[in-house]
Amino acid sequence: MQVPNIVSMKPTVIIGAQWGDEGKGKVTDILAKEADYIVRFQGGNNAGHTIVVGDKVYKLHLLPSGAVYGKKSMIAAGVVVDPIVLCKEIENIEKDGRKLDLMIDPLCHIIMPYHKILDKAKEQSRGDSKIGTTGRGIGPCYSDRVNRSGIRFIDMLNPETFRSKLISKLEATNPILEKIYGFDPLSVDEIIESYQSSIEKLKAYLGDVSKAVYEGLDNKNVLFEGAQGTFLDVNFGTYPYVTSSHTISGGIFPNVGIPPMALDVIGIVKAYTTRVGAGPFPCELEDENGEHLRKVGHEFGTTTGRPRRCGWLDLFMLKYSNRLNGFTHLAITKLDVLSGLDKIKIGVDYQIDGQSVDFPMTIDQLEKCEVVYKEMDGFELEQGISSYDLLPDNAKKYCDFIEEYLGVKVSMISTGPKRSETIFVREGLAMKMA
Ligand code: GDP
Ligand code: IMO
Ligand code: MG
């Protein structure tokens, strides 16, 4: 498949514009064909990025999606790594006969067994106000990074350093596990033993990602792959129903360790909205339309298998997402899933007591918002269409409306999970039709 150069030679970042699972894996994989480096910069194995190549489905949690093309794949310092999960993923890719060219930054923080236990125990103790985390230990691991008690790859390279850091960590953590949550204490030796073989294996991949990316910026095509989505950002998402990292485009700089620079920012916009886990969701549908989206879109979590909550496209929310990320291009995904609906609604404004408001800063305010919808006629669209001209008129109108409302050009439209099921709209729809 020819992949048109839809973005400039600036470094490019793929960002989930909504609550995750927008199809970042598919778009990253497609663009990886023309990229030299593909860099994951935040999150951990809470992510689940699906790539479909022929009959084969890859679900990547930690490996950048460039790994399927065998491109130089990098895990930057901002990613939290579960070494056991990463080793399994590497084995799966290699078992498939694919060569892996991987670099992991030694400054990555490591997800330890107590992070996973604490993640689940804290969720349990939240009762009705559960966040609905993936249970992968992400929050506790990032907490340790910030409170300066984390263990990084580089600390594990020297057995004495690893042991002494682990001893002091368990001195502080075991009483919490035992006294607050009623778990057995963890043993230093058992943890070291359970991590030893994966750390040994991963040692071969360690390298200074910050330096490699910096040096590559002049003459390499660098693609940054975001995980999660804008509204899961730890600062600007629907706090506290968020993840623990910065998911917005500016997060790249401190997480990779490169200076600020102009980027092409591709916002991945699912043609409707989904969310896994708890938290407000103004455009949520709990009727047959929501059921249609879940069923036709196979909206079940890639990482946890949980049913995803589904709703109409929320352009008002995406306007805020655009402000946070500075999208230069949009990729609309899963347009085929809307096929067969008689009428389609799009959220275009939020109001409280009949007055339009900015996107609220608190979830209490968000819960008070009434969504104003625009209604459009539905369409029948066969999965897999790869030419813009073959899109039904109402589907074109839908994409046009997104482009006009947000003022950002739509450069790609996805109509199925496979690489070939993609429409490249090189200059944006409006320019194409002019
Ligand atoms: P990510 O986390 O953003 O990479 O997205 P996920 O992989 O978690 O979820 C997206 C799902 O939609 C995956 O199962 C993809 O294979 C699938 N997918 C991606 N693009 C399309 C599309 O245009 N149409 C359909 N029907 N499925 C798609
Ligand atoms: P990708 O990269 C969708 C959600 C969880 C939960 C919240 C916090 O595949 O888009 P965490 O385990 O991170 O502490 O959970 O964030 N979440 C995701 N939702 N897609 C993801 O990743 C997600 N990663 C985390 O469901 O609501
Ligand atoms: Mg996903």
Side-chain angles (χ1 to χ4, degrees):
M1 184 181 53
Q2 270 298 97
V3 178
N5 184 17
I6 63 158
V7 288
S8 65
M9 283 304 288
K10 280 191 212 134
T12 299
V13 54
I14 305 284
I15 294 288
Q18 295 147 319
W19 272 297
D21 303 324
E22 297 90 350
K24 298 175 292 295
K26 171 181 165 162
V27 176
T28 305
D29 169 66
I30 285 180
L31 295 181
K33 185 161 187 249
E34 301 301 323
D36 300 305
Y37 298 166
I38 296 88
V39 188
R40 269 281 308 267
F41 58 95
Q42 43 71 229
N45 59 315
N46 46 352
H49 296 180
T50 314
I51 297 159
V52 181
V53 185
D55 295 337
K56 188 98 201 155
V57 179
Y58 296 92
K59 292 181 187 292
L60 301 181
H61 302 285
L62 275 165
L63 283 178
S65 297
V68 178
Y69 264 123
K71 292 299 178 80
K72 182 109 203 149
S73 299
M74 302 187 181
I75 298 179
V79 176
V80 288
V81 175
D82 184 326
I84 298 168
V85 172
L86 182 54
C87 279
K88 278 219 181 80
E89 249 180 85
I90 293 173
E91 273 164 33
N92 282 342
I93 284 274
E94 286 177 342
K95 211 168 57 197
D96 234 42
R98 294 184 183 270
K99 97 176 165 40
L100 186 68
D101 187 359
L102 178 66
M103 186 188 278
I104 307 166
D105 201 299
L107 298 183
C108 286
H109 278 250
I110 301 295
I111 297 180
M112 304 298 287
Y114 43 84
H115 293 139
K116 291 182 258 190
I117 297 172
L118 286 171
D119 191 0
K120 289 178 188 148
K122 283 181 177 180
E123 275 288 88
Q124 208 62 42
S125 70
R126 283 185 188 110
D128 286 346
S129 31
K130 278 189 183 48
I131 290 166
T133 72
T134 59
R136 301 299 191 261
I138 306 296
C141 185
Y142 275 119
S143 304
D144 278 357
R145 182 176 86 166
V146 177
N147 71 29
R148 293 155 292 183
S149 62
I151 296 181
R152 303 165 301 171
F153 250 121
I154 200 163
D155 303 318
M156 291 174 139
L157 299 179
N158 178 332
E160 278 158 32
T161 313
F162 181 24
R163 179 171 285 275
S164 80
K165 286 200 178 256
L166 195 53
I167 288 171
S168 65
K169 187 67 206 169
L170 286 188
E171 272 168 12
T173 306
N174 272 338
I176 297 172
L177 290 177
E178 280 183 281
K179 296 196 178 106
I180 300 185
Y181 297 114
F183 285 94
D184 289 337
L186 297 176
S187 121
V188 171
D189 288 331
E190 277 172 24
I191 294 181
I192 291 177
E193 203 194 316
S194 65
Y195 274 49
Q196 202 131 39
S197 70
S198 37
I199 294 298
E200 257 329 291
K201 177 159 188 197
L202 294 175
K203 257 187 196 171
Y205 298 107
L206 294 182
D208 188 339
V209 170
S210 154
K211 182 164 178 250
V213 171
Y214 183 73
E215 290 177 350
L217 285 168
D218 281 343
N219 59 358
K220 301 285 185 200
N221 202 347
V222 184
L223 184 59
F224 298 98
E225 178 182 13
Q228 289 80 52
T230 300
F231 291 88
L232 292 171
D233 183 273
V234 66
N235 255 358
F236 296 100
T238 45
Y239 193 90
Y241 297 94
V242 294
T243 191
S244 302
S245 64
H246 287 294
T247 59
I248 58 178
S249 57
I252 286 176
F253 305 114
N255 278 313
V256 178
I258 51 169
M261 66 191 70
L263 301 167
D264 270 326
V265 184
I266 306 187
I268 313 299
V269 174
K270 198 182 279 195
Y272 47 97
T273 314
T274 61
R275 165 162 217 176
V276 209
F281 183 171
C283 284
E284 184 165 16
L285 287 165
E286 289 178 273
D287 59 7
E288 67 281 7
N289 288 318
E291 216 25 65
H292 169 106
L293 298 173
R294 187 171 308 107
K295 233 168 125 184
V296 180
H298 304 292
E299 294 296 353
F300 295 89
T302 311
T303 299
T304 56
R306 290 177 290 178
R308 294 175 182 149
R309 298 157 65 195
C310 296
W312 297 121
L313 181 69
D314 188 340
L315 281 182
F316 186 73
M317 178 176 146
L318 285 172
K319 190 157 72 173
Y320 181 48
S321 183
N322 183 34
R323 198 195 91 197
L324 294 170
N325 290 296
F327 296 134
T328 55
H329 305 257
L330 299 178
I332 299 175
T333 59
K334 304 191 91 162
L335 188 63
D336 52 298
V337 176
L338 295 176
S339 177
L341 294 171
D342 186 33
K343 297 281 179 193
I344 300 172
K345 287 189 181 179
I346 306 180
V348 290
D349 195 19
Y350 284 5
Q351 295 188 345
I352 297 180
D353 300 330
Q355 297 292 312
S356 296
V357 292
D358 282 339
F359 193 88
M361 286 191 176
T362 67
I363 55 168
D364 291 345
Q365 287 292 98
L366 190 52
E367 267 153 9
K368 283 191 195 136
C369 288
E370 294 280 340
V371 181
V372 178
Y373 288 99
K374 174 187 169 68
E375 189 173 84
M376 297 182 84
D377 290 329
F379 48 81
E380 299 287 334
L381 190 160
E382 207 182 302
Q383 194 179 80
I385 285 177
S386 58
S387 154
Y388 180 75
D389 295 336
L390 294 178
L391 283 180
D393 280 348
N394 285 342
K396 287 180 185 165
K397 281 186 193 154
Y398 190 75
C399 295
D400 272 359
F401 186 71
I402 297 174
E403 183 169 281
E404 277 160 26
Y405 182 100
L406 295 174
V408 184
K409 57 191 174 188
V410 173
S411 296
M412 220 192 246
I413 300 169
S414 173
T415 60
K418 294 185 183 155
R419 286 172 174 167
S420 59
E421 296 173 323
T422 310
I423 300 170
F424 296 98
V425 194
R426 204 179 193 137
E427 304 291 349
L429 290 182
M431 286 173 77
K432 183 179 168 92
M433 292 191 311

